[in-house]
Amino acid sequence: MWTRSEQDPHPDPQETTGPEMMKPSLWSLLTCASLLLAHVRATYPPHHHQGAGDPQLIAAQSYAQTRNNGRPPIRTLNPAKTDSQCRSRPLDLVFIIDSSRSVRPGEFEKVKIFLADMVDTLDVGSEGTRVAVVNYASTVKIEFLLKDHFNKPDMKKAISRIEPLAAGTMTGLAIKTAVNDAFTEESGARPRTRKISKVAIIVTDGRPQDQVEEVSAAARASGIEIYAVGVDRADMRSLQQMASIPLEDHVFYVETYGVIEKLTSKFRETLCGLDPCAMGHDCEHICVNSNASYYCKCRNGYILNADKKTCSLKQVKVEVVEDPCKCEARLAFQKQTQATIQQLTAKLADVSGRIERLENMVGRA
């Protein structure tokens, strides 16, 4: 290997070449790849069509969380980030809010402002996003269900009436109540066949007084995506045990309740779905969004072709219906005309005969 060491006491590492220099880099690359593969296999174990309550699936969820709990990067509020223009996808969304004694009355009002701001960013409606709120401390209270309010004014009025419960912090009980009583079809959740995402957002500032890891794993295994928002004294390990993976996308932290409402823009980005029509489509006339997909429509006067994309002008069939009255009148007119022609012909023949006779008389004279 040639270097500049004999001519220059400070050789340029960028000019160092050769197979000896490549070997350590190749070995490092292979080592990193093997470690990454092992981590992926551990974090995402293969599924074998387990049910939502399958112990193996719950255990896999807990193990995946344990693997990720050691990761330090936690997403924090970036006040400089502004709202992006997007459209929220339909959700069955349940807020699980901590109102224990550690949350002061003024701070709880900030949480309610955060909920109201979140409602403003969502496409609320029976066919859009449905929202429920679970309030908890030592006890759990469902403030309103997914089926109760389908417009923003009524929903925000219901939020304004929420009162803190005080006392302890039974976060695990709150999650279990949300799964059993708020995310059910009887309470307004859409059937699985609709493929509507189910999302829970937990807001807490303390350490749970009950176990959250197993109940959270069961909730995630049932198809619920969990976001954990920690404020001030919140226990970071508990947030990580509750949240879905990847943790960097599902764990949020703010220093005080005074800035929690600014998380609205971050959740707006997170909960917004892509607009399929804006992403590009093959519709000749009109593209219509339908959840995560789209379908085509035609403008007035056109029909959709068999390819479900292009449009053709509607063929207007013109049927000529003969009016019987008109036919009889035409026939009478034709008969009258023929009779008149026959009369004229007869008169013309008579006049021609008279002229011929006069010519004969003149010729003999």
Side-chain angles (χ1 to χ4, degrees):
M1 179 176 65
W2 180 86
T3 66
R4 291 174 39 178
S5 58
E6 296 181 359
Q7 301 176 6
D8 188 346
H10 303 288
D12 187 349
Q14 293 183 352
E15 295 185 7
T16 303
T17 58
E20 290 81 359
M21 195 65 184
M22 293 176 61
K23 288 180 180 178
S25 299
L26 182 59
W27 175 253
S28 299
L29 182 61
L30 292 174
T31 302
C32 291
S34 62
L35 290 174
L36 179 61
L37 180 60
H39 175 72
V40 169
R41 288 177 175 173
T43 305
Y44 302 97
H47 296 282
H48 300 286
H49 306 287
Q50 299 104 319
D54 192 296
Q56 294 182 358
L57 183 55
I58 295 175
Q61 287 278 353
S62 297
Y63 179 68
Q65 295 300 97
T66 303
R67 295 280 300 178
N68 282 271
N69 285 347
R71 295 184 175 182
I74 300 299
R75 177 173 293 186
T76 56
L77 176 64
N78 180 5
K81 194 76 172 180
T82 58
D83 285 356
S84 60
Q85 295 297 322
C86 60
R87 176 182 178 183
S88 69
R89 65 185 189 272
L91 305 170
D92 285 338
L93 174 61
V94 177
F95 290 99
I96 304 174
I97 56 173
D98 177 1
S99 65
S100 59
R101 66 166 63 93
S102 62
V103 184
R104 300 179 182 88
E107 294 175 334
F108 192 69
E109 288 301 313
K110 293 289 186 181
V111 175
K112 290 161 63 173
I113 293 174
F114 166 65
L115 298 186
D117 288 346
M118 284 292 299
V119 167
D120 277 334
T121 68
L122 301 170
D123 293 328
V124 173
S126 60
E127 294 302 316
T129 293
R130 301 182 181 184
V131 178
V133 174
V134 175
N135 187 9
Y136 79 94
S138 292
T139 58
V140 179
K141 179 184 178 182
I142 298 179
E143 298 291 346
F144 57 86
L145 296 169
L146 295 169
K147 65 180 180 181
D148 288 344
H149 304 294
F150 294 141
N151 64 77
K152 295 181 182 182
D154 289 347
M155 193 174 292
K156 292 168 73 173
K157 286 180 182 178
I159 291 173
S160 68
R161 293 192 292 265
I162 299 176
E163 296 293 335
L165 301 175
T169 311
M170 302 296 287
T171 309
L173 178 61
I175 296 172
K176 186 176 182 179
T177 301
V179 173
N180 294 337
D181 299 328
F183 279 111
T184 63
E185 292 185 30
E186 293 77 13
S187 298
R190 268 71 64 96
R192 290 182 179 274
T193 54
R194 294 284 303 276
K195 297 181 180 180
I196 303 294
S197 299
K198 291 176 170 47
V199 176
I201 298 179
I202 304 170
V203 181
T204 181
D205 74 338
R207 181 188 299 272
Q209 295 176 332
D210 56 356
Q211 297 297 318
V212 298
E213 184 173 9
E214 185 175 346
V215 68
S216 298
R220 295 191 302 268
S222 70
I224 299 172
E225 185 178 11
I226 301 178
Y227 293 86
V229 177
V231 183
D232 193 12
R233 302 169 297 276
D235 179 55
M236 190 59 64
R237 178 171 175 79
S238 298
L239 297 176
Q240 294 171 338
Q241 289 175 342
M242 293 185 291
S244 299
I245 53 176
L247 294 180
E248 56 266 28
D249 292 333
H250 293 85
V251 177
F252 297 83
Y253 175 80
V254 291
E255 288 76 12
T256 67
Y257 280 102
V259 294
I260 189 173
E261 59 194 85
K262 295 182 181 179
L263 278 177
T264 305
S265 61
K266 185 58 63 179
F267 272 110
R268 178 180 171 86
E269 295 172 8
T270 302
L271 299 179
C272 278
L274 297 177
D275 185 337
C277 290
M279 294 291 291
H281 60 86
D282 298 326
C283 300
E284 183 178 2
H285 284 185
I286 303 171
C287 178
V288 181
N289 287 303
S290 177
N291 292 342
S293 185
Y294 69 88
Y295 62 91
C296 301
K297 289 180 64 177
C298 298
R299 294 191 293 269
N300 290 336
Y302 292 82
I303 58 173
L304 195 64
N305 294 326
D307 61 7
K308 302 298 182 182
K309 298 177 182 178
T310 60
C311 302
S312 297
L313 190 64
K314 284 184 179 179
Q315 297 294 328
V316 181
K317 294 183 178 180
V318 180
E319 295 183 2
V320 179
V321 179
E322 293 289 346
D323 186 345
C325 296
K326 290 183 178 180
C327 293
E328 291 179 2
R330 185 181 300 113
L331 182 60
F333 175 75
Q334 289 176 348
K335 289 181 178 179
Q336 185 178 0
T337 302
Q338 290 176 353
T340 302
I341 292 173
Q342 289 176 354
Q343 291 176 0
L344 291 174
T345 303
K347 290 182 177 180
L348 181 60
D350 181 58
V351 170
S352 298
R354 289 182 181 183
I355 292 174
E356 184 177 355
R357 288 196 294 271
L358 287 172
E359 289 177 347
N360 291 334
M361 292 176 60
V362 170
R364 286 197 297 269

